[in-house]
Amino acid sequence: MNAKTMEGLVGARTNMNLLNTPMRVYKEARLKGDTETMERSMGYVNEFSGKAEEYKSEADKGMEEDARQAREKAKLQREEAIQKRREEREKLEERTGENRNADSNADIRETKACILEISEEGKALLKDNADSDSTGTDEIKVDAVITNNS
């Protein structure tokens, strides 16, 4: 909290509390009919309320400064977070690029090594099954031969 804000809040509260005494004196003087004491106590009331207003305006200025500083701090934090995310993304892209280059050769070798060949019997069974008008859910088991052409 800003020093102006603290000073303003404390000053306004103090002057409002000090205002109670001359108001009590004013009420007592009014009951007695003492106009001179009433006028004097109202002068004090006006003085304290004026000071309270001054302190209130000072507290308002302090709160505006606090809000401005908080906005600036939040803006800096957002910018730092954005910069950090950019750096992390760049590092991740670099690692991903390196991994792609390293893994691309390995992927090519693996895909060339795995070839599935369907036997003639399997082709015949598939053709027979496609030609028939069966609507059942019969499963056809086919033996597959896997060869590695390295």
Side-chain angles (χ1 to χ4, degrees):
M1 187 175 281
N2 192 333
K4 281 186 176 181
T5 305
M6 287 297 293
E7 183 181 346
L9 292 174
V10 169
R13 180 180 170 93
T14 302
N15 280 292
M16 289 305 290
N17 288 339
L18 291 174
L19 187 84
N20 292 332
T21 304
M23 280 301 290
R24 189 179 67 239
V25 170
Y26 172 81
K27 289 176 184 177
E28 289 175 6
R30 187 181 67 195
L31 291 174
K32 293 179 183 176
D34 188 2
T35 56
E36 186 177 317
T37 306
M38 287 172 51
E39 288 176 5
R40 196 173 46 231
S41 64
M42 282 309 289
Y44 288 123
V45 168
N46 288 333
E47 181 182 335
F48 289 135
S49 65
K51 285 182 181 179
E53 284 295 319
E54 290 173 11
Y55 279 115
K56 180 189 175 294
S57 65
E58 187 174 335
D60 290 340
K61 289 177 186 177
M63 287 190 289
E64 288 175 7
E65 287 180 21
D66 285 342
R68 181 181 45 77
Q69 289 174 353
R71 283 191 303 267
E72 289 174 2
K73 184 178 179 181
K75 183 179 177 181
L76 287 174
Q77 288 175 342
R78 281 192 308 268
E79 289 174 359
E80 288 174 1
I82 289 170
Q83 183 64 28
K84 185 177 179 181
R85 285 188 207 119
R86 283 182 186 153
E87 290 172 0
E88 289 175 357
R89 187 178 344 117
E90 289 172 1
K91 288 179 184 177
L92 181 63
E93 288 175 359
E94 287 176 12
R95 281 187 278 158
T96 306
E98 291 172 1
N99 289 342
R100 277 191 204 142
N101 291 338
D103 292 340
S104 64
N105 295 334
D107 290 342
I108 292 171
R109 278 185 246 121
E110 288 179 19
T111 52
K112 288 183 179 179
C114 298
I115 297 175
L116 176 68
E117 293 183 15
I118 300 175
S119 66
E120 293 300 323
E121 293 174 357
K123 291 178 183 177
L125 286 172
L126 182 62
K127 184 178 180 184
D128 290 341
N129 190 30
D131 291 340
S132 68
D133 292 334
S134 68
T135 58
T137 59
D138 297 337
E139 293 183 12
I140 301 174
K141 294 184 179 180
V142 179
D143 292 332
V145 177
I146 300 175
T147 61
N148 287 332
N149 295 334
S150 298

